[in-house]
Amino acid sequence: MPMPTITAVRAFTVRGGGADYHDQGDGHWIDGQIATPMSRYPEYRAKRSSFGLNVLGTLVVEVEASDGTVGFAVTTGGEIGCFVVERHLARFLVGRPVTEIERMWDQMYAASQFYGRKGVVLNTISGVDLALWDLLAKVRGEPVYQLLGGAVRDELVFYATGPRPDLAKKMGFIGGKMPLKHGPAEREEGLRANVAALAAMRDAVGDDFWLMYDCWMALDLDYATRLAIAGREHGLKWIEECLSPDDYWGYAALRKAVPAGMLVTTGEHEATRWGFRLLLEMGCCDIIQPDVGWCGGLTELIKISALADAHACPVIPHGSSVYSYHFVATRPNSPFAEFLMMAPEADRVVPMFHPLLLDEPLPEGGRLKVSALDRPGFGVRLNPDCALHRPYPAA
Ligand SMILES: C[C@H](O)[C@H](O)CC(=O)C(=O)O
Ligand SMILES: [Mg+2]
């Protein structure tokens, strides 16, 4: 049966939240003091925006088909992403049938290998890939999760990321992952403060609620090991992204050094099946956390997940709202999902990609029925009130 072909590819950027969820206004918890690889420089410690955490902005990719259907997706990538899409990647899409996602992915990756492979180029390929899945699912009139093989569960259960696991517990989430505040440059005093914050939160939530620490690449092996050992007493379930994403050897050593039963997790800044192959084969972690908007998109996440399954390693995707939910619904080895608390005080559930997307389904009581995803494509719309900027329109 002849399928529509792709007739146009457009790339836009937009500021203020959206897929670059770090691009928030003053006073938001996500831009407070959180340990980062830049925390060793005191002048970049108090706010993550001080070193440029929100420098990229959101990338919006639209793909239009010959029958008039438009698919779209959002990720982090901003103006650089727009350039890569419109001046380079679009050529591999225009004129192709909407079904040929695998071939388009392979051409985008192979053609950009000389300057890509990870980082913003893979964010960009992910954005294009997700827009292609949205388009194909809309052309077929089905939700994306049905194209992925259908749901393996009726509802998703979530843990919450943010500074208030005590409030997340009241909202019905199964656990809370806190941002670590102090890094190694703040020495023993900082370490004691990190452990004290965990202990206080444990007192607030009781024994059975999961508590985790997100260390956002800020630590070294020695500090991470000491934090894990001290955290065990307070029921720290996992310790996340402690080291540089390039330090596979450090992660392998950390996994051996943490107390029995504590999980080492990482992968939100890793990309492609080859990056995750290193994490898995080197025994770096107990859970991988690819971000579907950064790791290469759904086409790549399917491969990463299969590889992880063969290593008995669960896949709990990082954030990414609907783009994760449609995937998690379909994989036996993704037993729960992350919800990032994007309210400035983490005191209520708000859409992760607010204000950019309309119709983003929200967990209620820490759960989301898969039937809430039953709309064509990823089931979301762009908010017409958000001012999109198209810096590199095709000539
Ligand atoms: C809170 C973390 O520093 C980061 O902003 C989000 C993240 O790493 C996660 O959700 O995981
Ligand atoms: Mg994280």
Side-chain angles (χ1 to χ4, degrees):
M1 172 176 128
M3 273 283 148
T5 53
I6 294 172
T7 52
V9 180
R10 296 178 284 271
F12 308 88
T13 185
V14 59
R15 302 302 318 200
D20 189 351
Y21 62 91
H22 288 127
D23 189 21
Q24 301 291 340
D26 262 0
H28 197 290
W29 72 264
I30 210 149
D31 194 27
Q33 182 174 348
I34 292 177
T36 78
M38 289 296 280
S39 300
R40 66 183 84 123
Y41 301 102
E43 67 273 29
Y44 295 114
R45 205 173 275 164
K47 284 163 76 70
R48 295 199 284 185
S49 54
S50 65
F51 69 82
L53 179 65
N54 56 346
V55 74
L56 286 173
T58 291
L59 167 67
V60 179
V61 181
E62 274 185 355
V63 279
E64 185 167 339
S66 49
D67 66 353
T69 310
V70 177
F72 84 95
V74 302
T75 183
T76 318
E79 191 166 331
I80 306 174
C82 293
F83 179 91
V84 173
V85 171
E86 299 233 25
R87 295 293 156 87
H88 194 185
L89 304 183
R91 71 190 73 189
F92 307 113
L93 277 59
V94 174
R96 307 306 314 174
V98 296
T99 43
E100 283 188 2
I101 298 178
E102 192 71 37
R103 171 186 176 127
M104 291 185 265
W105 194 98
D106 192 53
Q107 293 188 350
M108 290 191 289
Y109 180 76
S112 62
Q113 223 167 1
F114 71 98
Y115 67 96
R117 300 175 45 243
K118 287 181 193 284
V120 73
V121 176
L122 258 294
N123 294 6
T124 302
I125 290 178
S126 304
V128 177
D129 180 76
L130 293 170
L132 289 170
W133 280 95
D134 190 52
L135 177 63
L136 178 60
K138 283 172 173 164
V139 166
R140 292 198 187 276
E142 290 188 74
V144 169
Y145 79 85
Q146 296 290 17
L147 265 53
L148 294 175
V152 297
R153 49 182 65 86
D154 295 334
E155 64 176 10
L156 310 184
V157 292
F158 292 88
Y159 76 88
T161 295
R164 297 300 304 270
D166 52 332
L167 301 182
K169 184 182 178 195
K170 292 190 177 119
M171 292 177 224
F173 290 95
I174 56 172
K177 186 175 77 188
M178 295 187 289
L180 190 79
K181 193 163 177 185
H182 308 283
E186 291 166 87
R187 303 175 194 272
E188 297 307 309
E189 200 184 330
L191 181 60
R192 276 196 296 275
N194 286 332
V195 176
L198 174 65
M201 195 50 76
R202 175 56 70 203
D203 280 348
V205 299
D207 284 346
D208 295 333
F209 191 67
W210 299 354
L211 284 180
M212 296 79 92
Y213 250 147
D214 189 313
C215 306
W216 214 74
M217 308 169 277
L219 311 183
D220 55 42
L221 177 58
D222 174 63
Y223 192 100
T225 306
R226 288 190 294 137
L227 179 63
I229 291 169
R232 179 179 172 69
E233 193 190 325
H234 307 291
L236 187 63
K237 183 177 174 69
W238 79 56
I239 185 158
E240 174 169 323
E241 221 195 6
C242 297
L243 310 175
S244 159
D246 290 325
D247 190 2
Y248 304 97
W249 305 268
Y251 277 107
L254 178 64
R255 191 166 175 227
K256 292 197 182 95
V258 298
M262 187 175 296
L263 307 177
V264 174
T265 72
T266 193
E268 73 185 66
H269 295 105
E270 189 54 86
T272 76
R273 72 202 82 150
W274 299 282
F276 282 93
R277 179 179 172 181
L278 274 173
L279 287 179
L280 293 163
E281 288 189 0
M282 288 182 65
C284 293
C285 54
D286 300 282
I287 292 176
I288 57 164
Q289 301 165 304
D291 186 308
V292 65
W294 301 344
C295 73
L298 268 183
T299 307
E300 197 61 5
L301 186 54
I302 292 167
K303 297 173 176 124
I304 292 165
S305 171
L307 197 60
D309 204 18
H311 286 79
C313 183
V315 180
I316 309 299
H318 171 248
S320 275
S321 181
V322 285
Y323 303 113
S324 284
Y325 306 162
H326 279 261
F327 185 78
V328 168
T330 66
R331 300 296 127 161
N333 60 325
S334 296
F336 58 92
E338 174 181 17
F339 188 77
L340 253 153
M341 300 295 281
M342 291 314 300
E345 310 277 340
D347 53 357
R348 64 205 151 86
V349 169
V350 299
M352 183 182 168
F353 289 154
H354 174 81
L356 187 57
L357 298 186
L358 300 178
D359 303 332
E360 232 181 306
L362 292 177
E364 279 174 35
R367 291 163 183 271
L368 181 73
K369 294 254 179 269
V370 170
S371 55
L373 306 176
D374 278 336
R375 286 192 291 257
F378 286 106
V380 286
R381 294 175 294 139
L382 279 173
N383 182 351
D385 294 339
C386 291
L388 302 183
H389 168 54
R390 189 177 179 195
Y392 300 104

